[in-house]
Short mmCIF file of all heavy atoms in Angstrom, two decimals:
data_model
loop_
_atom_site.label_atom_id
_atom_site.label_comp_id
_atom_site.label_asym_id
_atom_site.label_seq_id
_atom_site.Cartn_x
_atom_site.Cartn_y
_atom_site.Cartn_z
N MET A 95 93.14 158.70 28.91
CA MET A 95 93.61 157.47 29.56
C MET A 95 92.52 157.03 30.53
O MET A 95 92.17 157.77 31.46
CB MET A 95 94.91 157.70 30.34
CG MET A 95 96.03 158.34 29.55
SD MET A 95 96.51 157.32 28.15
CE MET A 95 96.38 158.51 26.83
N PRO A 96 91.99 155.83 30.33
CA PRO A 96 90.84 155.43 31.15
C PRO A 96 91.16 155.27 32.63
O PRO A 96 90.26 155.33 33.47
CB PRO A 96 90.44 154.08 30.54
CG PRO A 96 91.62 153.60 29.81
CD PRO A 96 92.37 154.81 29.36
N THR A 97 92.45 155.06 32.95
CA THR A 97 92.80 154.84 34.37
C THR A 97 93.20 156.13 35.08
O THR A 97 93.55 156.10 36.25
CB THR A 97 93.97 153.84 34.47
OG1 THR A 97 95.04 154.32 33.66
CG2 THR A 97 93.56 152.46 34.01
N LEU A 98 93.20 157.24 34.35
CA LEU A 98 93.57 158.51 34.97
C LEU A 98 92.32 159.39 35.11
O LEU A 98 91.42 159.34 34.26
CB LEU A 98 94.62 159.23 34.13
CG LEU A 98 95.95 158.49 33.92
CD1 LEU A 98 96.91 159.35 33.09
CD2 LEU A 98 96.60 158.12 35.24
N THR A 99 92.30 160.18 36.16
CA THR A 99 91.17 161.09 36.37
C THR A 99 91.28 162.24 35.36
O THR A 99 92.29 162.35 34.64
CB THR A 99 91.21 161.68 37.78
OG1 THR A 99 92.42 162.44 37.91
CG2 THR A 99 91.16 160.60 38.85
N ALA A 100 90.26 163.06 35.34
CA ALA A 100 90.26 164.20 34.43
C ALA A 100 91.50 165.06 34.66
O ALA A 100 92.22 165.42 33.71
CB ALA A 100 89.00 165.02 34.64
N ALA A 101 91.79 165.36 35.92
CA ALA A 101 92.94 166.21 36.23
C ALA A 101 94.24 165.53 35.83
O ALA A 101 95.16 166.17 35.28
CB ALA A 101 92.96 166.54 37.72
N GLU A 102 94.32 164.22 36.08
CA GLU A 102 95.55 163.50 35.74
C GLU A 102 95.74 163.42 34.23
O GLU A 102 96.87 163.47 33.74
CB GLU A 102 95.51 162.10 36.36
CG GLU A 102 95.68 162.12 37.88
CD GLU A 102 95.23 160.84 38.55
OE1 GLU A 102 94.61 159.99 37.87
OE2 GLU A 102 95.48 160.70 39.76
N ASN A 103 94.64 163.27 33.49
CA ASN A 103 94.74 163.26 32.04
C ASN A 103 95.30 164.59 31.54
O ASN A 103 96.12 164.62 30.62
CB ASN A 103 93.37 163.00 31.42
CG ASN A 103 93.17 161.54 31.06
OD1 ASN A 103 93.76 161.03 30.12
ND2 ASN A 103 92.34 160.85 31.84
N VAL A 104 94.85 165.66 32.15
CA VAL A 104 95.34 166.98 31.73
C VAL A 104 96.81 167.13 32.13
O VAL A 104 97.63 167.62 31.36
CB VAL A 104 94.47 168.09 32.36
CG1 VAL A 104 95.02 169.47 32.00
CG2 VAL A 104 93.02 167.97 31.88
N GLU A 105 97.13 166.65 33.34
CA GLU A 105 98.53 166.71 33.82
C GLU A 105 99.47 165.97 32.89
O GLU A 105 100.63 166.34 32.74
CB GLU A 105 98.62 166.07 35.20
CG GLU A 105 98.27 166.97 36.36
CD GLU A 105 98.58 166.27 37.67
OE1 GLU A 105 99.76 165.93 37.89
OE2 GLU A 105 97.65 166.06 38.46
N ALA A 106 98.98 164.88 32.29
CA ALA A 106 99.84 164.04 31.45
C ALA A 106 100.50 164.85 30.33
O ALA A 106 101.62 164.56 29.91
CB ALA A 106 99.03 162.90 30.85
N ALA A 107 99.80 165.90 29.88
CA ALA A 107 100.37 166.72 28.80
C ALA A 107 101.57 167.54 29.28
O ALA A 107 102.37 168.01 28.47
CB ALA A 107 99.30 167.65 28.24
N LEU A 108 101.67 167.72 30.61
CA LEU A 108 102.78 168.52 31.15
C LEU A 108 103.99 167.65 31.52
O LEU A 108 105.05 168.17 31.82
CB LEU A 108 102.31 169.30 32.39
CG LEU A 108 101.22 170.35 32.10
CD1 LEU A 108 100.71 170.95 33.41
CD2 LEU A 108 101.76 171.45 31.20
N VAL A 109 103.82 166.33 31.49
CA VAL A 109 104.92 165.43 31.85
C VAL A 109 106.16 165.68 30.99
O VAL A 109 107.28 165.77 31.51
CB VAL A 109 104.46 163.95 31.78
CG1 VAL A 109 105.65 162.99 31.82
CG2 VAL A 109 103.50 163.65 32.93
N PRO A 110 106.02 165.80 29.66
CA PRO A 110 107.23 166.02 28.85
C PRO A 110 107.90 167.36 29.11
O PRO A 110 109.05 167.55 28.73
CB PRO A 110 106.71 165.97 27.40
CG PRO A 110 105.35 165.39 27.47
CD PRO A 110 104.81 165.71 28.82
N LEU A 111 107.20 168.28 29.73
CA LEU A 111 107.77 169.63 29.95
C LEU A 111 108.47 169.74 31.30
O LEU A 111 108.92 170.82 31.67
CB LEU A 111 106.64 170.67 29.86
CG LEU A 111 105.86 170.68 28.54
CD1 LEU A 111 104.81 171.78 28.54
CD2 LEU A 111 106.81 170.88 27.36
N HIS A 112 108.56 168.62 32.02
CA HIS A 112 109.27 168.57 33.31
C HIS A 112 108.75 169.60 34.30
O HIS A 112 109.53 170.24 35.00
CB HIS A 112 110.78 168.74 33.10
CG HIS A 112 111.33 167.79 32.08
ND1 HIS A 112 111.34 166.43 32.26
CD2 HIS A 112 111.85 168.00 30.85
CE1 HIS A 112 111.85 165.83 31.20
NE2 HIS A 112 112.16 166.76 30.31
N VAL A 113 107.45 169.77 34.34
CA VAL A 113 106.85 170.67 35.32
C VAL A 113 106.73 169.90 36.64
O VAL A 113 106.45 168.70 36.63
CB VAL A 113 105.44 171.09 34.82
CG1 VAL A 113 104.78 172.02 35.82
CG2 VAL A 113 105.55 171.76 33.46
N THR A 114 106.94 170.58 37.76
CA THR A 114 106.87 169.89 39.06
C THR A 114 105.45 169.38 39.29
O THR A 114 104.48 169.99 38.80
CB THR A 114 107.25 170.83 40.22
OG1 THR A 114 106.29 171.89 40.25
CG2 THR A 114 108.65 171.40 40.05
N PRO A 115 105.31 168.31 40.06
CA PRO A 115 103.97 167.74 40.28
C PRO A 115 102.98 168.78 40.84
O PRO A 115 101.82 168.81 40.40
CB PRO A 115 104.23 166.63 41.30
CG PRO A 115 105.62 166.20 41.03
CD PRO A 115 106.36 167.45 40.63
N ALA A 116 103.43 169.61 41.75
CA ALA A 116 102.51 170.58 42.34
C ALA A 116 102.05 171.59 41.29
O ALA A 116 100.86 171.91 41.18
CB ALA A 116 103.19 171.30 43.50
N ALA A 117 103.01 172.07 40.49
CA ALA A 117 102.67 173.04 39.45
C ALA A 117 101.78 172.39 38.39
O ALA A 117 100.86 173.02 37.85
CB ALA A 117 103.94 173.57 38.81
N ARG A 118 102.07 171.13 38.12
CA ARG A 118 101.26 170.39 37.16
C ARG A 118 99.81 170.35 37.60
O ARG A 118 98.89 170.61 36.82
CB ARG A 118 101.78 168.95 37.06
CG ARG A 118 102.62 168.72 35.86
CD ARG A 118 102.97 167.31 35.56
NE ARG A 118 102.79 166.29 36.54
CZ ARG A 118 103.74 165.42 36.88
NH1 ARG A 118 104.95 165.50 36.34
NH2 ARG A 118 103.50 164.46 37.75
N ARG A 119 99.63 170.00 38.87
CA ARG A 119 98.27 169.88 39.39
C ARG A 119 97.54 171.23 39.31
O ARG A 119 96.40 171.32 38.86
CB ARG A 119 98.34 169.36 40.84
CG ARG A 119 97.02 169.29 41.62
CD ARG A 119 95.91 168.61 40.87
NE ARG A 119 96.18 167.25 40.49
CZ ARG A 119 95.39 166.22 40.82
NH1 ARG A 119 94.33 166.42 41.55
NH2 ARG A 119 95.65 165.00 40.40
N GLY A 120 98.26 172.32 39.67
CA GLY A 120 97.65 173.65 39.65
C GLY A 120 97.25 174.05 38.24
O GLY A 120 96.12 174.53 38.01
N ARG A 121 98.12 173.82 37.31
CA ARG A 121 97.82 174.20 35.92
C ARG A 121 96.70 173.35 35.35
O ARG A 121 95.86 173.83 34.58
CB ARG A 121 99.08 174.09 35.06
CG ARG A 121 100.06 175.25 35.31
CD ARG A 121 101.38 175.06 34.62
NE ARG A 121 101.26 175.09 33.15
CZ ARG A 121 102.31 175.06 32.35
NH1 ARG A 121 103.54 175.04 32.86
NH2 ARG A 121 102.15 175.09 31.05
N ALA A 122 96.68 172.06 35.72
CA ALA A 122 95.64 171.17 35.21
C ALA A 122 94.27 171.62 35.72
O ALA A 122 93.29 171.68 34.95
CB ALA A 122 95.92 169.74 35.65
#
Side-chain angles (χ1 to χ4, degrees):
Chain A
M95 307 299 127
T97 54
L98 300 181
T99 62
E102 288 162 350
N103 263 289
V104 176
E105 276 187 60
L108 296 174
V109 166
L111 303 182
H112 307 296
V113 180
T114 63
R118 259 190 346 230
R119 175 48 60 124
R121 284 172 66 174

